[in-house]
Amino acid sequence: MTWVNFFGNALDPKIGGIAFFGIFLSLIVFLIGQWLFKISNGFFLFQPLFVGMVLGIFILWLMAKWFGVTLPTFYMEAYKPGGDIIFWFLNPATIAFAIPLYRRNDVVKKFWLEIILSLIVGMVISLFIIYYMSKLFGLNNQMISSMLPQAATTAIAMPISGATGGVPAVTAMACILNAVLIYALADFLIKIFRLNSDPVGAGLGLGTAGHTVGSAKAVQLGSIQGAMASIAVVVISIVVDVVVPPFASMMHLF
Amino acid sequence: MASNQQAAKTSEVEHEPAPILQQMGIFACVLFVSSLISPLFPKSFPVPTPVIGLVLMYVLLASHIIKLYQVEKMADFLISLIAFLFVPSGIQMANSLNVFTDDGAFTGVMLIVTIILATIILLVVIAYTTAGFMAISRHVFHKSTDIQ
């Protein structure tokens, strides 16, 4: 049996059925993740997003094997149309972060200079650490270039990566992993590095390292953290835009 | 007039939320306008639509053109959904798992380790740098850094 027969109506583009499977699978794996997270009393590896991602890929891989097609083909044709619809809602969700930001406008007005300086200086320090760490791990220049712009949102990081001699797909992967990791590990990292004594710093860090997902986590921690993470998402993207290309050429990466 | 503004400000907090369709309409307007602005930036300096949208929405709120009660409910809803909205991006990795194996398994593992460490580095370095700048403005410029 081919997978096209198996899905039948669900793949008929004329009735828009092609999107059903992707949306169904995304929701089911996420809900399973939520359930696992609940019954395991919040074990960090059972974060719904992480479970959803791993389980989703696993199910797609299993089905691809079953129907005898490659995983990328099966992903592109069966899952992507539905996944793209959910993915689109990240656009309004990103601009929604203007609201937690505006709610703590007092903090923004008071500390705007510190915020911008911290993000620029922190970004440059991080670039140096990431560069030398990658060198230490024996990554080639192409891979190092792909690692540098990962603090920006995917839509900025990918073209910057391409322009500095990196592989955009690797950068996109790094951006996604950042978000998943921060969502799973934020509580643990905040505890061991004692970041909560400074809510502004914790918020900026979460927004930088975890993109919009990190900001959602920060909103849960408190209004100041949420506002700071929201501003970090915007400012760090612009900082990456400006800082990474000269840094890469300074390090002779391309 | 001044008392009127005062009243408007206090009522902003307890104002009944606008109908959800109106809230969606505002989001759609902001996104659409941002999508018109985004291509105006040069290729070497990309600024994507949602980033412009965030700034635009913030400017509209800060200049009181849009009131908080007109967008608040929709925004809180979308933010609570973020983790789920990210599931397709995570599953998207199925499409390009080969980038981890192209240069051999060892490079792939190193790449993942680098990404994990880079995430932690970004979080910790930014947070500590901020704490440093806060300490400077507290001790050098004698600015109060207390926030409630």
Side-chain angles (χ1 to χ4, degrees):
Chain A
M1 182 169 66
T2 66
W3 60 281
V4 180
N5 286 340
F6 173 78
F7 278 123
N9 257 353
L11 280 176
D12 190 351
K14 271 196 229 114
I15 56 167
I18 193 127
F20 292 152
F21 174 65
I23 292 174
F24 165 75
L25 183 70
S26 311
L27 268 167
I28 292 301
V29 291
F30 189 78
L31 288 174
I32 292 175
Q34 273 192 335
W35 175 73
L36 279 176
F37 191 66
K38 201 175 152 198
I39 60 162
S40 65
N41 281 326
F43 180 55
F44 75 96
L45 269 184
F46 285 161
Q47 280 286 353
L49 173 56
F50 185 69
V51 174
M53 181 183 106
V54 175
L55 197 62
I57 293 178
F58 179 69
I59 291 175
L60 284 181
W61 175 80
L62 219 59
M63 290 176 81
K65 265 254 159 2
W66 179 263
F67 296 122
V69 286
T70 63
L71 178 57
T73 324
F74 191 72
Y75 162 80
M76 287 300 277
E77 301 201 358
Y79 178 78
K80 198 167 183 288
D84 278 349
I85 293 178
I86 298 174
F87 180 75
W88 183 87
F89 281 93
L90 278 176
N91 290 315
T94 304
I95 70 172
F97 281 103
I99 281 80
L101 178 57
Y102 175 70
R103 279 195 195 124
R104 290 320 297 256
N105 215 1
D106 55 324
V107 183
V108 180
K109 275 184 183 152
K110 197 170 167 192
F111 296 117
W112 63 271
L113 187 61
E114 283 91 338
I115 292 167
I116 292 174
L117 282 177
S118 308
L119 287 174
I120 295 174
V121 175
M123 189 65 222
V124 174
I125 298 173
S126 309
L127 283 179
F128 274 103
I129 302 180
I130 293 172
Y131 173 80
Y132 285 110
M133 187 182 67
S134 315
K135 265 266 188 279
L136 196 71
F137 287 160
L139 297 181
N140 58 21
N141 280 356
Q142 200 185 22
M143 287 300 150
I144 298 177
S145 288
S146 317
M147 287 297 103
L148 295 178
Q150 59 176 302
T153 92
T154 323
I156 289 180
M158 285 174 71
I160 297 267
S161 161
T164 56
V167 187
V170 177
T171 310
M173 192 99 60
C175 290
I176 296 162
L177 273 179
N178 283 339
V180 175
L181 284 168
I182 282 295
Y183 200 70
L185 298 177
D187 293 322
F188 172 71
L189 290 173
I190 285 171
K191 206 163 80 190
I192 60 164
F193 289 108
R194 302 200 182 145
L195 302 181
N196 232 355
S197 56
D198 175 22
V200 177
L204 292 178
L206 284 172
T208 305
H211 313 287
T212 39
V213 179
S215 309
K217 189 82 205 176
V219 168
Q220 291 169 11
L221 292 178
S223 64
I224 300 169
Q225 287 93 326
M228 292 301 106
S230 311
I231 198 169
V233 169
V234 173
V235 176
I236 206 72
S237 293
I238 308 296
V239 171
V240 167
D241 251 352
V242 177
V243 170
V244 170
F247 179 86
S249 78
M250 190 177 88
M251 292 297 180
H252 306 292
L253 284 174
F254 67 103
Chain B
M1 203 58 211
S3 67
N4 242 350
Q5 269 176 352
Q6 198 63 35
K9 241 186 178 164
T10 45
S11 70
E12 194 175 283
V13 185
E14 295 131 30
H15 204 290
E16 204 167 288
I20 204 73
L21 266 180
Q22 274 178 29
Q23 305 204 11
M24 285 181 185
I26 292 172
F27 272 81
C29 284
V30 172
L31 268 178
F32 177 63
V33 173
S34 318
S35 73
L36 297 179
I37 299 173
S38 179
L40 301 179
F41 285 90
K43 273 251 159 50
S44 55
F45 189 83
V47 185
T49 303
V51 171
I52 297 172
L54 207 170
V55 176
L56 194 62
M57 184 70 108
Y58 174 72
V59 169
L60 288 173
L61 281 165
S63 56
H64 301 288
I65 296 170
I66 292 177
K67 303 289 187 299
L68 214 43
Y69 73 88
Q70 289 174 317
V71 285
E72 206 166 22
K73 213 172 162 195
M74 188 69 192
D76 287 341
F77 173 65
L78 284 168
I79 290 173
S80 70
L81 275 187
I82 277 266
F84 164 66
L85 297 180
F86 222 73
V87 168
S89 307
I91 294 183
Q92 184 204 329
M93 287 181 50
N95 197 24
S96 37
L97 281 177
N98 59 319
V99 301
F100 287 127
T101 50
D102 272 354
D103 300 332
F106 180 73
T107 315
V109 171
M110 278 308 165
L111 206 52
I112 294 178
V113 173
T114 311
I115 293 173
I116 296 173
L117 289 178
T119 311
I120 300 172
I121 288 167
L122 283 169
L123 170 68
V124 173
V125 169
I126 298 276
Y128 283 171
T129 313
T130 312
F133 274 107
M134 287 300 202
I136 291 174
S137 40
R138 194 161 49 234
H139 295 300
V140 181
F141 299 103
H142 303 291
K143 180 174 166 181
S144 149
T145 54
D146 299 329
I147 18 177
Q148 53 299 95

